[in-house]
Amino acid sequence: MEDCLFCKIIKGEIPSKKAYEDEYVYAFWDIAPTAPVHILVIPKRHIATLNEVTGENSDVIAKIYEAIPKIAQENGISEDGYRVVSNCNQAAGQTVFHIHFHLLGGRELTWPAG
Ligand code: 5GP
Ligand code: ZN
């Protein structure tokens, strides 16, 4: 997707602080963190929202969830705990329309979410 911010980050056209990368997944530190560890985990393949996940592309979602525990381990939040959040569309506050999973940790996280 030519106009997608996160596709540009994957291509290196916009700089980011990389946290993890493999064939399917890219992860980078959020520019406006809401926790001491706030990393965005995204598929290299453009998928706009969770509503566009199907049997045809869900393999990359599995790859994301394989990467998350590795990233958590590397950043020291595995044992204390962490949260993974994906906002879908306007009511949930999605602002970038390339599916992404917020990995949040390093502090006590309240529940329920706002
Ligand atoms: P959403 O609100 O769509 O769930 O999350 C989008 C996230 O992307 C936000 O937490 C926001 O801070 C982050 N973000 C937006 N633009 C950039 C950017 O250019 N670089 C990085 N690293 N994060 C960004
Ligand atoms: Zn994209």
Side-chain angles (χ1 to χ4, degrees):
M1 276 283 285
E2 286 191 1
D3 282 338
C4 172
L5 174 67
F6 286 176
C7 282
K8 288 180 180 165
I9 283 178
I10 291 162
K11 285 189 267 182
E13 292 173 7
I14 292 173
S16 64
K17 184 180 166 194
K18 181 162 84 172
Y20 174 86
E21 183 172 16
D22 66 29
E23 186 181 346
Y24 304 97
V25 177
Y26 187 71
F28 56 104
W29 289 79
D30 198 291
I31 203 167
T34 61
V37 176
H38 188 170
I39 292 169
L40 300 173
V41 190
I42 67 176
K44 287 187 171 176
R45 175 175 176 181
H46 181 89
I47 301 171
T49 81
L50 263 172
N51 289 334
E52 278 73 49
V53 174
T54 67
E56 194 265 326
N57 61 17
S58 61
D59 55 330
V60 299
I61 307 299
K63 297 293 183 191
I64 282 170
Y65 273 90
E66 284 179 43
I68 283 170
K70 296 181 201 169
I71 301 166
Q73 180 76 40
E74 280 169 16
N75 288 280
I77 57 173
S78 297
E79 297 308 319
D80 283 350
Y82 56 88
R83 183 171 295 161
V84 179
V85 177
S86 188
N87 297 316
C88 181
N89 278 339
Q90 167 269 326
Q94 184 175 6
T95 58
V96 180
F97 288 85
H98 179 127
I99 197 170
H100 49 280
F101 296 78
H102 299 256
L103 171 58
L104 299 160
R107 66 169 170 83
E108 294 296 312
L109 299 162
T110 58
W111 190 261

